[in-house]
Amino acid sequence: MSLTIAESIEAVRSQVAVAKAAGLSVGFVPTMGALHRGHATLVEEATKACDYVVVSIFVNPTQFGPNEDFSRYPRTFVADRAVCEEAGADLIFLPDVATMYPPGPPATFVEVPGLSDVFEGAIRPGHFRGVATVVLKLFGIVCPNLAFFGQKDFQQQLVLRRMVTDLNFPVQLVTVPTVREDDGLAMSSRNRYLSAEERQAARVLSQALRLAEDAVRSGERSADRVRQILASTVQSERLATLDYGDVVDALTLEPLTDLTGRRAVALLAARVGPARLIDNAILPD
Ligand code: AMP
């Protein structure tokens, strides 16, 4: 099947309606573009699980704070289109801001309190309100059976899972493991902000997570000692500034003390030069 580009909501609805009328299952991968192998993997997983795959490319202004990188966020549609084609997508939804947010103040938002208020939500107020709202709007436009998200944005997939559960939205979410560069750095559209020296320094995030995993695998059960490993490793890199390094329950994000019998995730965020980078690892049982 060839790749179709739809810029309007009506065009997406009619293409998806044709697919559904033919009995095809619909998979959906929401993105902000500047696509890399992480995004391509999401699309490939969607093509394995679903008959018809929609990718949205929309740099969503409402999830950026006033001093964040909305205006300089990379926009690379020609390359993105090739990535989607190669990965087997059927339809790209490429709306402009006025299509998603018609003029006038938006009146309806989706809030997922609790999960949205900590970590990324504490540092980026309003971020998850913007994410949840745009994703629900996109779900309402695309009506997918399955939607695919990256583990790289661990808190985001938890917030969205809670949203679809609470609102009884008929879509199944699939979380795809983080795709990494050969040296461990989690792929991110924001990695292209890094200079060569900063790119080397950015490896410290995945290194810290590997050390935390190793410690737990070797029997460490104190969450505080694992936190210490995360912090001291990131702080040993001159070009990195730690925002947070924590060990929390992987479903509720509540802080842990003793890891025994808990499904725990290590969450890391650090600034390296002009980029804010996040990464995480589910800790071994
Ligand atoms: P973004 O375009 O950065 O908003 O990301 C779109 C989707 O791709 C989100 O579900 C991200 O979690 C996912 N994603 C981004 N980077 C990666 C990665 N390195 N591995 C897997 N998924 C990713």
Side-chain angles (χ1 to χ4, degrees):
M1 227 183 303
S2 67
L3 178 63
T4 304
I5 315 291
E7 295 185 5
S8 73
I9 292 170
E10 297 69 30
V12 175
R13 286 197 200 286
S14 66
Q15 295 285 333
V16 171
V18 169
K20 288 201 166 175
L24 304 184
S25 59
V26 176
F28 179 42
V29 181
T31 81
M32 296 204 301
L35 302 183
H36 49 66
R37 200 151 45 75
H39 299 111
T41 302
L42 263 58
V43 177
E44 284 158 11
E45 291 300 314
T47 64
K48 282 184 212 158
C50 302
D51 307 312
Y52 186 85
V53 172
V54 182
V55 178
S56 63
I57 297 179
F58 179 59
V59 185
N60 173 39
T62 68
Q63 70 190 70
F64 287 80
N67 299 317
E68 293 184 359
D69 55 348
F70 173 70
S71 55
R72 71 190 169 97
Y73 197 85
R75 287 151 171 96
T76 59
F77 179 66
V78 174
D80 291 352
R81 179 194 180 129
V83 171
C84 290
E85 193 147 31
E86 169 98 347
D90 298 288
L91 178 69
I92 296 179
F93 178 35
L94 185 72
D96 60 16
V97 172
T99 298
M100 292 302 288
Y101 301 107
T108 305
F109 287 104
V110 184
E111 304 251 23
V112 185
L115 286 173
S116 295
D117 301 330
V118 292
F119 300 110
E120 288 307 286
I123 289 175
R124 308 179 68 187
H127 171 66
F128 286 117
R129 182 169 96 155
V131 169
T133 303
V134 80
V135 170
L136 192 69
K137 282 166 69 70
L138 291 166
F139 283 176
I141 294 165
V142 176
C143 303
N145 302 97
L146 268 65
F148 296 77
F149 295 89
Q151 186 193 321
K152 152 112 185 340
D153 297 281
F154 190 86
Q155 187 174 4
Q156 170 171 284
Q157 55 87 36
L158 276 188
V159 166
L160 296 174
R161 282 178 182 278
R162 184 66 197 252
M163 173 184 81
V164 299
T165 301
D166 286 357
L167 299 180
N168 308 101
F169 205 88
V171 60
Q172 190 185 326
L173 301 197
V174 178
T175 303
V176 177
T178 304
V179 178
R180 299 178 179 281
E181 304 284 359
D182 288 344
D183 64 6
L185 177 66
M187 290 193 180
S188 164
S189 306
R190 290 186 167 99
N191 291 350
R192 53 183 93 195
Y193 298 155
L194 300 169
S195 69
E197 196 189 4
E198 290 157 355
R199 169 66 187 78
Q200 291 299 305
R203 292 180 302 176
V204 77
L205 278 86
S206 59
Q207 285 164 351
L209 292 168
R210 293 299 83 79
L211 290 174
E213 284 174 319
D214 289 348
V216 174
R217 205 171 285 117
S218 308
E220 183 59 77
R221 288 292 170 267
S222 158
D224 264 348
R225 280 202 288 273
V226 180
R227 287 183 186 100
Q228 240 162 12
I229 292 170
L230 294 171
S232 63
T233 308
V234 174
Q235 282 157 356
S236 72
E237 170 51 64
R238 178 180 59 85
L239 295 180
T241 309
L242 182 68
D243 270 349
Y244 57 78
D246 212 336
V247 178
V248 297
D249 183 281
L251 289 178
T252 63
L253 299 184
E254 279 159 5
L256 293 175
T257 307
D258 183 352
L259 302 181
T260 310
R262 304 298 296 257
R263 187 166 161 76
V265 60
L267 299 177
L268 259 190
R271 277 163 292 133
V272 180
R276 231 188 127 255
L277 304 177
I278 58 173
D279 201 351
N280 66 83
I282 302 281
L283 295 174
D285 296 334

